[in-house]
Amino acid sequence: MARVLAEADCGEVSGDPGRRAQYSADASNYRQIPLAVVFPRERAHVLNALAVCRRLGVSVTARGAGTSTSGQAVGAGVVLDFSRFFNRLLALDPQARTATVQPGIVLDDLQSAAAGHGLLFGADPSTHNRCTLGGMIGNNACGTHSVAWGRTSDNVVELEVVTYRGTVVRLGEMSREEIDRAVAAGDDRARLIGALSALARDNLATLRTEFGRFPRQVSGYALEHLLPERRFNLARAFVGSEGTLALVLSATVRLIAPPPARTLVVLGFEDAYAAAEAVVPLLGHRLLALEGLDQALTDVVTRPETRAAIDTLPAGAAWLFAELGGTAEELADRAEALVATAGEAAGFTGGRAVADPADARRLWRIREDGAGLATRRADGSEAWPGWEDSAVPPERLGSYLREFGALMERHGLTGALYGHFGEGCLHVRIDFDFTTEEGTAVFRAFGADLARLIAGHGGSLSGEHGDGKARSEFLPLMYSPAAMALFERFKDAWDPDNGLNPGIIVRPSPVDGHLRISPHRPPLPLATVFAYHSDDGDFAKATRRCVGVGKCRASADHGTGVMCPSFRVTGDEKDSTRGRARLLYEMTQGEIVTDGWRSTEVRDVLDLCLSCKGCGTDCPVGVDVATYKSEFLHHHYQGRIRPASHYSMGWLPLLSRAASRAPGLANAVLGSRLAPLVKRLGGIADERSLPRFADRTFLSWFRGRAPGGDGHRGPVVLWVDSFNNHFSPEVLRAAVAVLEHAGFTVRVPDGTQCCGLTWITTGQLGVARRIARRTTAALAPAVRAGVPVVGLEPSCTAALRTDLPELLGRDQDAQALAGATLTLAELLVQRAADWEPPEIGAESISQTHCHQHATSGFGADAALLRRMGVDNTVVGSGCCGLAGNFGFERGHYEVSVAVGEQGLLPAVRSADPDTRVLADGFSCRTQIAQQTDRRGTHLAQLIAEALPPAPAP
């Protein structure tokens, strides 16, 4: 199939097992392995691909970001991914307030372009930084502000589409005269429009009574738009068709002018039922948004910054997030009036207005991450989509929610509630058990019962995510036989061959067919080295943490945090956290990826993973590809020759120890004409300069000095990492000065210890485990005595905190060491709160090391810098790109530098010469030194430089 498509000029085509595995699932419960994946670059590629598939009788599934929660973006035929190349803004007319786009454009890219003219696109789902307009059109996406700005269908002006048979049609409003002229043309377009006109003319009563009853009635086809009073708007009727009618080639959409100012008002309630009952009176306040969530969602949050935001919520077990828009002068009074109205509702516990945009963004993040957060419970159990999208008229939401809760209880299910309460749309992830026959039967039975309950409340099975494979089978419980017959007639007018996304809406697939997790497909028994405590020691369960929400696909311009640096460079699904997790999951299934740990497809897709650990914290469900990569590399190369860099970079701590005996000689060799040979033998990129070894290690210096300070705060163990010890001992010396000035007695571990990081990242886990045991044993006496361990190199500190406990299983000393390990800033802020750091009064920019971002964050550093009077700006670019051994390895240089160029390196180059560049990570400082004319400074150095001279002994 891939060969025929490639020969037909269809763009980039792939049919290898790895690519097909990456596209076997979306953000739903469903899985189908496609025959091939096509990445069209221009409209001719789309038309050619359709022609090939039509000739061979192969179905076609259109895909944007693959964030569909209902299974519309997976299919057994050919998948067309529009997001990678077919994603341009074609035109933007600020006077007409319209934009014309290709279907693969990411919503936030459109929003950025529109913002330059003071405009925006009204529909804004929580996936706005990665979802595409084509996907939004397919599902009739709504989002947070639909209560004010409408659904996608309300904001579409015109569509250009192509049918499975290759007919290109422009869709929009049509008058009776325009319909007659179109039909008179006698071509394929005429036959389509004639058939649709006849459908409407013959069924006016059904269209007027069963369709368009309330805004979130998204299930089925939107046939109400065929009515003459709605101007026979084929564009709006097409929206929400889930890729079953035609493929979008371009879309012209309406833009709006947002209000000049906004205020978020957070309202607390005793439970979600009370919050739902309060909705209708609040809608009278001209709200921009009214979102709901309950405590079951906030309980699973672990990220410190987000937890801090949760702590600011009013007391209660459920909350409404209400947003007001208008002039800044009026918003305070309107917010007060809104809280007063909420105060009249039963179960109201309090409210607060949040006018600061930064504070509001932190709170909105809780809601935006809902789909991912709700997938794992506080106890680690799994929950799934499938029934996360029902909607009822808002006035029925309270009673519906109570019956919904009772229905879940009757089936033995639980779920975390959130959603667009202002429009009666409920999201919930439910703890279905797809691993057993009984659990799968419960999933089906619950779905049927819930469909009846929704219909009884005059609701819609889908409120914005579409029916897909998850709900299409149950549409006859919501619609009459006459309406269902119209759906088939509508589908057949567009796609008589049933070539586009078959099994969706009409002639549906069984709701329990094609499930991603099935009791009939048990995972392969794969022994692991890491413990995977949070996944019950089950590697397959760890990889299926990824439910496809796709936050890892956000670009550097629109993403937050670190994840995923390689995807931000390549834009390729295989280089995303999701793409890697999908392939690893398929490896555990053994169906398409058949070689297990020896799989070359998995090896290749992990190649550009920087092991930055960003996904471990930025992914809402904590997918940890860095750990999975280390695990895979361990097994893949076990008993085999490894890449050269695994020996040179993986064994760097040992090689550095040897070089420290004659650093001058080592530097002379590395700086001579032999350097290219050394790099080649070591698997190191030719473009990289090799760091110079220090003339004297820190340990040599420390063990020859007399202690300083009075030590009144007691002892602290300074973790002597290999990087700073051998390459930048001045950092460790600066830390000694700071710690002694703060009143600590500085100790170092006996002998020469290592956290094993370089062996972990290169997958040499047997060696890493032996080193971890030795390190834990060496530090155990101090840790048992309550002595803190302070680390200066963030990657090593993170290894002590997270990797060693996973390597050593339930080892109590490893767990205790993880709890005792602190960063320098954490130690000074938490254990020396009354210490007065030097007043510096400088400006700085800082790069947060990825591993610090993933494990401890920058909060303590920020607090300490404020105490010193430093005006610091955090570079919001994510990873520096060097990432330990990654950026030094042959074949990675271009990606490594490109990652750095997304934020860090431009920020350093543009910084004022007097601005300090703070970077605690050795990799970050090396990348800065090799790619700019500046040098990075460790926090310890910044403080030490400003300390008064130590008194003479």
Side-chain angles (χ1 to χ4, degrees):
M1 189 74 219
R3 178 181 56 80
V4 174
L5 287 164
E7 291 172 351
D9 186 26
C10 298
E12 185 176 314
V13 179
S14 184
D16 64 90
R19 185 66 86 181
R20 293 165 62 208
Q22 292 156 28
Y23 282 79
S24 63
D26 49 13
S28 72
N29 297 326
Y30 297 94
R31 169 185 179 268
Q32 285 185 285
I33 300 170
L35 294 174
V37 181
V38 174
F39 303 93
R41 294 178 180 269
E42 56 190 56
R43 56 187 288 133
H45 293 159
V46 180
L47 302 182
N48 292 344
L50 282 171
V52 169
C53 292
R54 186 168 64 251
R55 187 174 81 245
L56 299 178
V58 173
S59 65
V60 173
T61 297
R63 181 173 173 125
T67 54
S68 163
T69 60
S70 306
Q72 303 98 319
V74 294
V78 170
V79 172
L80 265 64
D81 181 347
F82 288 92
S83 68
R84 192 168 173 204
F85 302 122
F86 204 62
N87 54 16
R88 292 188 296 125
L89 173 67
L90 301 175
L92 196 154
D93 186 338
Q95 281 70 44
R97 294 187 175 180
T98 61
T100 301
V101 301
Q102 291 177 331
I105 192 171
V106 171
L107 174 58
D108 272 5
D109 288 335
L110 172 60
Q111 301 290 38
S112 294
H117 304 280
L119 303 171
L120 58 76
F121 184 70
D124 59 344
S126 61
T127 54
H128 53 84
N129 62 3
R130 66 265 194 197
C131 71
T132 66
L133 263 291
M136 293 175 66
I137 290 167
N139 290 354
N140 199 5
C142 302
T144 301
H145 294 94
S146 61
V147 68
W149 300 331
R151 306 166 295 178
T152 297
S153 58
D154 299 315
N155 295 282
V156 165
V157 178
E158 184 179 83
L159 299 175
E160 182 187 26
V161 304
V162 56
T163 68
Y164 186 71
R165 292 189 173 183
T167 302
V168 177
V169 188
R170 285 195 175 275
L171 308 176
E173 293 181 346
M174 297 184 76
S175 65
R176 182 73 256 171
E177 293 76 16
E178 289 169 326
I179 295 171
D180 292 341
R181 283 199 301 271
V183 172
D187 53 12
D188 289 342
R189 175 176 178 269
R191 284 187 285 276
L192 173 62
I193 293 175
L196 299 179
S197 176
L199 182 154
R201 185 176 60 250
D202 298 344
N203 298 277
L204 293 175
T206 302
L207 298 186
R208 285 174 175 143
T209 56
E210 292 203 42
F211 297 92
R213 293 177 290 106
F214 71 107
R216 287 300 185 110
Q217 185 182 345
V218 168
S219 276
Y221 293 119
L223 301 185
E224 69 272 17
H225 294 293
L226 302 181
L227 289 166
E229 58 266 31
R230 298 192 183 229
R231 293 186 56 79
F232 193 69
N233 194 324
L234 291 182
R236 291 190 175 185
F238 181 92
V239 176
S241 56
E242 306 183 37
T244 62
L245 305 180
L247 304 182
V248 177
L249 296 174
S250 68
T252 299
V253 298
R254 180 177 293 106
L255 305 175
I256 63 168
R262 305 186 200 184
T263 289
L264 171 65
V265 181
V266 184
L267 306 169
F269 294 88
E270 292 177 355
D271 53 40
Y273 307 132
E277 297 284 6
V279 162
V280 173
L282 298 177
L283 292 174
H285 286 262
R286 295 179 291 124
L287 302 178
L288 296 181
L290 186 59
E291 302 289 290
L293 66 156
D294 74 3
Q295 190 173 342
L297 187 70
T298 61
D299 281 348
V300 300
V301 173
T302 58
R303 182 180 173 86
E305 181 183 346
T306 312
R307 277 247 59 97
I310 290 170
D311 291 341
T312 69
L313 295 173
W319 299 271
L320 292 177
F321 285 17
E323 188 174 69
L324 296 164
T327 64
E329 295 75 18
E330 68 177 291
L331 287 180
D333 289 341
R334 289 179 58 194
E336 186 177 339
L338 183 67
V339 173
T341 299
E344 297 172 3
F348 177 70
T349 59
R352 63 179 285 252
V354 184
D356 180 70
D359 290 342
R361 278 194 299 272
R362 280 188 284 271
L363 289 168
W364 278 121
R365 178 173 177 167
I366 305 168
R367 171 60 188 85
E368 288 187 353
D369 284 352
L373 292 172
T375 300
R376 285 290 171 121
R377 301 297 165 74
D379 63 1
S381 59
E382 299 171 293
W384 304 99
W387 282 100
E388 82 301 329
D389 190 39
S390 56
V392 297
E395 61 272 16
R396 304 296 298 271
L397 182 61
S399 57
Y400 166 66
L401 211 54
R402 294 179 190 279
E403 293 183 56
F404 177 87
L407 182 63
M408 284 206 298
E409 186 175 352
R410 192 157 67 246
H411 283 275
L413 301 170
T414 61
L417 303 175
Y418 62 105
H420 311 289
F421 279 30
E423 289 203 298
C425 183
L426 176 67
H427 296 327
V428 59
R429 294 287 166 118
I430 302 174
D431 57 345
F432 301 116
D433 180 9
F434 293 115
T435 65
T436 65
E437 296 271 9
E438 296 79 6
T440 304
V442 168
F443 167 71
R444 180 179 185 85
F446 174 79
D449 287 347
L450 181 57
R452 296 185 187 96
L453 175 63
I454 294 165
H457 281 272
S460 176
L461 307 189
S462 169
E464 65 177 342
H465 295 166
D467 299 305
K469 295 175 176 63
R471 289 173 286 275
S472 293
E473 186 185 357
F474 295 135
L475 284 174
L477 299 177
M478 172 183 167
Y479 286 106
S480 69
M484 293 302 301
L486 290 183
F487 287 161
E488 290 202 21
R489 184 173 169 184
F490 190 64
K491 161 74 171 177
D492 291 343
W494 290 89
D495 182 25
D497 305 306
N498 198 29
L500 295 177
N501 233 9
I504 307 294
I505 301 180
V506 301
R507 296 178 284 273
S509 303
V511 69
D512 51 357
H514 306 300
L515 288 172
R516 185 160 69 95
I517 301 169
S518 168
H520 306 296
R521 195 179 62 251
L524 301 176
L526 298 172
T528 62
V529 178
F530 285 111
Y532 301 101
H533 292 124
S534 298
D535 297 293
D536 304 320
D538 184 342
F539 188 72
K541 185 177 179 182
T543 61
R544 72 174 184 243
R545 275 181 175 269
C546 178
V547 291
V549 295
K551 190 177 178 183
C552 51
R553 285 179 52 97
S555 70
D557 293 334
H558 307 308
T560 58
V562 171
M563 180 182 69
C564 177
S566 53
F567 176 82
R568 291 178 178 183
V569 170
T570 68
D572 193 330
E573 175 75 14
K574 74 178 179 63
D575 297 320
S576 68
T577 300
R578 182 178 70 181
R580 293 172 179 129
R582 286 284 191 251
L583 201 56
L584 284 162
Y585 174 74
E586 290 298 334
M587 182 191 80
T588 71
Q589 304 302 293
E591 181 177 340
I592 186 170
V593 179
T594 56
D595 296 333
W597 294 122
R598 299 297 196 187
S599 167
T600 55
E601 295 92 355
V602 176
R603 179 201 64 197
D604 293 345
V605 86
L606 290 173
D607 180 57
L608 290 185
C609 170
L610 284 75
S611 296
C612 68
K613 293 183 178 286
C615 50
T617 187
D618 290 343
C619 173
V621 287
V623 172
D624 185 4
V625 174
T627 298
Y628 308 161
K629 178 179 180 179
S630 296
E631 185 78 60
F632 175 83
L633 293 177
H634 170 80
H635 297 283
H636 185 77
Y637 288 110
Q638 197 164 31
R640 306 163 82 180
I641 299 297
R642 288 174 167 271
S645 62
H646 287 199
Y647 300 104
S648 62
M649 303 297 294
W651 288 77
L652 183 62
L654 220 57
L655 296 174
S656 298
R657 201 178 308 172
S660 68
R661 297 190 177 96
L665 176 61
N667 290 331
V669 172
L670 297 180
S672 72
R673 287 181 294 177
L674 293 175
L677 177 62
V678 172
K679 293 177 186 177
R680 194 153 48 248
L681 293 174
I684 296 170
D686 292 335
E687 300 91 339
R688 283 289 176 193
S689 299
L690 297 173
R692 292 179 57 83
F693 291 97
D695 294 336
R696 186 183 186 188
T697 67
F698 166 78
L699 282 176
S700 172
W701 170 84
F702 184 84
R703 287 170 177 159
R705 73 183 287 271
D710 59 14
H712 67 278
R713 296 188 195 276
V716 61
V717 174
L718 178 61
W719 177 253
V720 182
D721 63 276
S722 298
F723 304 106
N724 285 317
N725 185 40
H726 293 288
F727 296 104
S728 51
E730 63 277 7
V731 171
L732 288 159
R733 292 198 297 267
V736 171
V738 173
L739 291 169
E740 290 182 340
H741 185 272
F744 293 98
T745 299
V746 180
R747 300 176 183 173
V748 298
D750 294 334
T752 303
Q753 304 301 330
C754 182
C755 65
L757 173 70
T758 57
W759 286 279
I760 292 171
T761 57
T762 55
Q764 301 178 74
L765 299 184
V767 179
R769 181 180 271 176
R770 290 196 296 273
I771 292 171
R773 287 197 184 104
R774 190 177 68 202
T775 295
T776 301
L779 292 173
V783 172
R784 290 171 188 162
V787 177
V789 177
V790 61
L792 300 186
E793 169 54 42
S795 57
C796 297
T797 306
L800 296 176
R801 279 179 152 171
T802 61
D803 294 324
L804 266 63
E806 286 291 326
L807 272 174
L808 300 182
R810 298 292 180 183
D811 186 282
Q812 292 184 355
D813 287 335
Q815 300 286 346
L817 174 57
T821 301
L822 301 169
T823 68
L824 177 63
E826 287 174 333
L827 180 80
L828 295 174
V829 170
Q830 297 172 16
R831 306 290 182 93
D834 59 342
W835 174 62
E836 293 187 9
E839 180 72 24
I840 295 178
E843 291 187 357
S844 67
I845 60 171
S846 63
Q847 167 70 7
T848 306
H849 190 285
C850 298
H851 290 192
Q852 180 176 341
H853 169 83
T855 55
S856 61
F858 194 71
D861 299 71
L864 186 58
L865 290 170
R866 284 194 298 270
R867 283 169 58 184
M868 295 189 296
V870 178
D871 182 8
N872 182 65
T873 301
V874 177
V875 178
S877 62
C879 186
C880 73
L882 190 60
N885 56 291
F886 176 86
F888 276 99
E889 290 175 338
R890 187 182 303 128
H892 292 167
Y893 178 79
E894 289 185 1
V895 170
S896 170
V897 174
V899 170
E901 293 291 355
Q902 291 181 338
L904 171 62
L905 299 178
V908 170
R909 295 189 193 106
S910 62
D912 188 88
D914 294 332
T915 298
R916 302 300 297 267
V917 178
L918 300 180
D920 283 2
F922 178 75
S923 290
C924 306
R925 296 196 302 275
T926 302
Q927 182 83 310
I928 291 168
Q930 292 194 3
Q931 304 299 326
T932 76
D933 60 0
R934 301 291 298 273
R935 295 292 181 270
T937 299
H938 195 286
L939 176 64
Q941 294 173 290
L942 180 72
I943 303 171
E945 290 170 7
L947 291 176

